[in-house]
Every structure is written in structure tokens, then in C-alpha cells.
Amino acid sequence: MISNKVNALLARNTDNAPKSISPYSQTVAFSHYNNLSAQLPIDPKSGKLVAGGIKEQAEQCFKNIKAIVESINHVMSDVVRITVFVKNIKDIDAVNEVYKAFFSTYVPTRTVVAVAALPMDALVQIEALVSNGEGTIPNAPQAVSLIKLTNNTANAPICALSTQTVSFSHYNNLSAQLPIDPKTGRVVVGGVKEQAGQCLKNIKAILESIDVPFDDIVKINVFLKNLSDIEAVNEVYTTFFPDSAIARAVAYVPARTVVAASSLPMHALVQIEAVVSHGDGTPPQAIEDRHGIVIKAKNTENAPKCSLSTQTVAFSHYNHISAQLPLNPKTGEIVAGGVKEQTEQCLKNIKAILESIDHVMDDVVKVNLFLKNIEDMDAVDEVYRTFFPGGTPARRTVGVSALLNDALIQIDVVVANAEGTPLKL
């Protein structure tokens, strides 16, 4: 736990949702967000997958999320972002039918991805990010005025099942953007370069509609149908980042994670998701206050460097870490050995990054694991427990068809930043 007396990690579990199948907490709150572990369609009473097909499994995932949300005195309309992982992209219509029953009026931002495998051979896994109006500052009633701000613009694709951006406190959470032309509602003509350009144009249009500059993006997640397309995507990516003279002067690029998707909605080749800083907060702060919050980007020689991503980008009370591959930072090559050695290297890289910004592994609130072979989970957990003996962080695990550098595992994390990012004079 964070020893800071102002903000503290708050990990919670309820018997009304499935107990963790690995060392993690159902929800970890820090500052103004609750980070939930991805929920599988497990019946909390039996500990087994529910009987039935995709509809029954989707419903159980949402029931589990609802049980967790209610156990911390929140409601489903406090959900800011939903991420849906399906085994078969064709199942998304059935998932949507269930989804509407849980979000009948307000809809959060959303990302939908088909992946190669899910734990327990599930057909679907769903995770949620939830606002935390009361915050985690003991006895502080400071958050009573915080509100959720939703926004859609006609200059980006509109979907009845998701909001383009939902802001709460000091973050904007955007729905993953597909390469859809907002005027036609169809995927743009061309290959992966044209599609990547359209995804980023859509993100830019959304940000412009809420008067937020493109360089306020702190984290980008790129979902690719063919991982071999990454070079072409990177070529387009560098035309968008850095975006401003200020960002170019310091060569600022957001933290980044690249994920291989087995399929994407609308047969897209690429989908891009962004997490964005929100200096104004919700409600807007006084100008003199909001200018006291800055983005802090940092790289260390003790972890692998990449010109297209920053190792850690902090804003307000969170640090967003780029996905770490099992690369030896001295050689830039994958470490020798199997999945245990690779898991250890990923976590060593994360630890090195955290230590470079005066943080520790106990400050991690959320861990995202991407595995080439989902059967490696037990071996991964064996190593994982040595870095997180208390099993505190919330967690997501998905199986992917491929990883960059032919790695067996990739890990990214979200980290608490108790000190915040005030401008140091």
C-alpha cells in the first residue's frame, strides 16, 4: 500500500462476485477512479463458468461487474469505460443485446476486441473503469462537486452503444476508434496506412470537440489484425506525434501498448484507443489551479527504450506505463529462457521504470497481461507472486496470437501517483 497520508490504494473484494482465479483484487481504487479486474462469466457461488452460450456468459460478466460496483457503493452509471474481449467477433451482436439491459440510458466509452484466447476457455471477458467520486483521501469531502462529462461530435463516428469520450476528474477516456469515415459510416478505402490515419483523425476530431490538444494524450493502445502491419502503422503514427511545437521540442510521445487482435469490428485492420489528460477537471478548475497540473514523461536507461513511446507518462494522480516486452535493456534482445524468464524480465523492466520515478511495485493499481499461450498462466503467476506477494493490483489477462519480437508475454501497468503532477517552480 502507498504510505502517503493523503491518497491511498484501496483494494476491495466481495463474495457476490467471483473470487480471483489468480493473485489479484476485484477492484482497486485510487484517487478518483476504481480499476476493476476483467470479469469472466463465472458464477460466484460455484466458481465455474455459467451454463449456456455467449448471451449467458456476457450476462454473468455484467452481473459480476454490477456486484463489485454495488459492493463499493457505486452504480452502473458510474462506469466510465467498458472493454469487451470476445473469442469470436461474430458474438458481438449477442453481447450488445445483453449490454443494453445494463446501460439502458447512459452509455460509457467502449472498446471491443476479439482475441485468441481467454482464461478458462471463456467466450467473453469484460472489464470496467469506474468513477470514484469520493476519492481515496481520508475524510476529504472534496469530490462532491465532481461530475461526469459525456461528449459526442458529428466529426467522428457516432455509435448508439458508446459515448465518444467520458471525462471524470482529470482524465478523458475515449472509445476505441475504428477507421470509419464519420460522413459515410463506413471503413475508409485503402489498406492499414489509410485505416490507421483515419483512426487517429477520429481521435483528433473528438479531442478538438472538447477543446483538448492532441498532445494531451497520455496513453495509446493499438489493436492490430496483423501484427506485421506495425511498421506501416508506425509510419502514419509519426505524422501525428508529436503534434505541437512544444511537444516536438521535447520529442513527447505517449505511453503505448500494441496488441494483436484476432478480429476487429467491421473487419477493420486496426483500432486505436486513447487515454487523455484533462487539466480542467470536472467541473472546470480555476485557470490558476489547472495550470498547476502538467504531463510528466520519463525514460530510464534501466528499461528498454523506444522512439515511438515514452516509458511512463504521469498526469495528476496516475502514471501510465508503456507495455513492457521481455527485453534486456542492455542488449535490446529477448532474454534467454521460457515464459518464466520472460515474465520476470517484463516485471523487472516495470520495476526499473517505477524506481526511476521514485515509485514502488506496491503503487501499481492495474496490471494487463498479454500471453502468447494462455496455458502459461500458472507459470506466469508463479513469477508474478514474487513481485506482487499481496496480489493487490486489479488485473486483466488475454491470450493473443502474436506479440512483438516473438515474445511469449507482454505486460503493461497503471500506477498510482500520490504526489500528483503539480508544476514545480
Side-chain angles (χ1 to χ4, degrees), residues 8 11 20 25 54 57 95 98 136 144 170 174 187 191 244 281 297 312 423:
S20 307
S25 301
I54 185 65
Q57 290 201 14
V95 172
V98 177
T136 54
V144 234
H170 289 132
L174 271 61
V187 170
S244 65
T312 176
L423 182 62

Side-chain angles (χ1 to χ4, degrees), residues 185-401:
R186 297 177 182 175
V187 170
V188 293
V189 175
V192 72
K193 284 187 180 180
E194 290 77 12
Q195 291 198 17
Q198 189 62 50
C199 291
L200 291 165
K201 282 178 184 176
N202 291 341
I203 289 171
K204 196 166 190 177
I206 294 168
L207 295 186
E208 287 174 349
S209 76
I210 56 172
D211 198 26
V212 172
F214 202 68
D215 282 321
D216 279 0
I217 294 173
V218 295
K219 176 74 190 295
I220 285 282
N221 297 315
V222 179
F223 300 94
L224 273 176
K225 177 73 169 62
N226 301 302
L227 203 56
S228 57
D229 282 340
I230 189 59
E231 296 296 340
V233 170
N234 287 343
E235 194 177 322
V236 177
Y237 194 82
T238 54
T239 66
F240 283 82
F241 296 102
D243 184 58
S244 65
I246 294 173
R248 283 192 290 275
V250 294
Y252 172 71
V253 283
R256 193 172 82 154
T257 296
V258 177
V259 182
S262 60
S263 295
L264 291 168
M266 298 183 73
H267 303 291
L269 299 175
V270 61
Q271 177 177 250
I272 302 179
E273 177 185 67
V275 179
V276 185
S277 65
H278 184 40
D280 294 355
T282 58
Q285 295 175 303
I287 291 175
E288 59 270 21
D289 293 332
R290 82 180 200 224
H291 284 313
I293 304 176
V294 296
I295 287 176
K296 287 189 176 179
K298 178 81 184 287
N299 288 301
T300 173
E301 299 292 338
N302 297 325
K305 284 186 176 182
C306 174
S307 61
L308 296 171
S309 63
T310 302
Q311 290 168 355
T312 176
V313 178
F315 185 78
S316 187
H317 289 133
Y318 277 95
N319 292 288
H320 296 265
I321 313 296
S322 288
Q324 294 300 300
L325 289 162
L327 300 174
N328 181 321
K330 293 180 181 177
T331 66
E333 296 178 357
I334 296 279
V335 292
V339 73
K340 285 187 180 180
E341 290 78 12
Q342 291 199 18
T343 302
E344 183 178 31
Q345 188 62 50
C346 291
L347 292 168
K348 279 182 178 178
N349 291 341
I350 289 167
K351 188 176 183 182
I353 293 168
L354 295 190
E355 289 176 347
S356 76
I357 55 171
D358 299 321
H359 280 263
V360 293
M361 293 296 273
D362 281 349
D363 292 342
V364 174
V365 296
K366 176 78 188 299
V367 176
N368 297 315
L369 300 177
F370 303 93
L371 281 173
K372 179 74 167 56
N373 301 302
I374 202 82
E375 297 82 9
D376 285 340
M377 200 62 248
D378 288 343
V380 169
D381 277 344
E382 193 177 323
V383 178
Y384 187 89
R385 285 184 176 92
T386 66
F387 286 83
F388 299 106
T392 295
R395 203 169 84 169
R396 167 215 294 173
T397 301
V398 295
V400 292
S401 56

Side-chain angles (χ1 to χ4, degrees), residues 88-241:
N88 189 334
I89 200 70
K90 292 178 181 177
D91 284 340
I92 197 59
D93 287 342
V95 172
N96 287 344
E97 196 175 319
V98 177
Y99 183 87
K100 291 172 188 174
F102 287 85
F103 299 101
S104 55
T105 50
Y106 157 78
V107 284
T109 63
R110 195 171 78 148
T111 298
V112 176
V113 184
V115 290
L118 291 168
M120 297 180 70
D121 204 25
L123 300 175
V124 61
Q125 177 178 249
I126 303 173
E127 74 175 22
L129 178 68
V130 183
S131 63
N132 186 34
E134 62 273 26
T136 54
I137 300 176
N139 305 315
Q142 84 288 357
V144 234
S145 57
L146 281 180
I147 56 172
K148 191 163 72 251
L149 297 176
T150 62
N151 191 73
N152 287 301
T153 172
N155 295 327
I158 292 176
C159 175
L161 296 173
S162 63
T163 302
Q164 289 170 354
T165 178
V166 177
S167 304
F168 187 78
S169 185
H170 289 132
Y171 276 94
N172 293 290
N173 296 271
L174 271 61
S175 286
Q177 290 302 298
L178 287 161
I180 298 171
D181 181 332
K183 293 181 181 177
T184 66
R186 297 177 182 175
V187 170
V188 293
V189 175
V192 72
K193 284 187 180 180
E194 290 77 12
Q195 291 198 17
Q198 189 62 50
C199 291
L200 291 165
K201 282 178 184 176
N202 291 341
I203 289 171
K204 196 166 190 177
I206 294 168
L207 295 186
E208 287 174 349
S209 76
I210 56 172
D211 198 26
V212 172
F214 202 68
D215 282 321
D216 279 0
I217 294 173
V218 295
K219 176 74 190 295
I220 285 282
N221 297 315
V222 179
F223 300 94
L224 273 176
K225 177 73 169 62
N226 301 302
L227 203 56
S228 57
D229 282 340
I230 189 59
E231 296 296 340
V233 170
N234 287 343
E235 194 177 322
V236 177
Y237 194 82
T238 54
T239 66
F240 283 82
F241 296 102

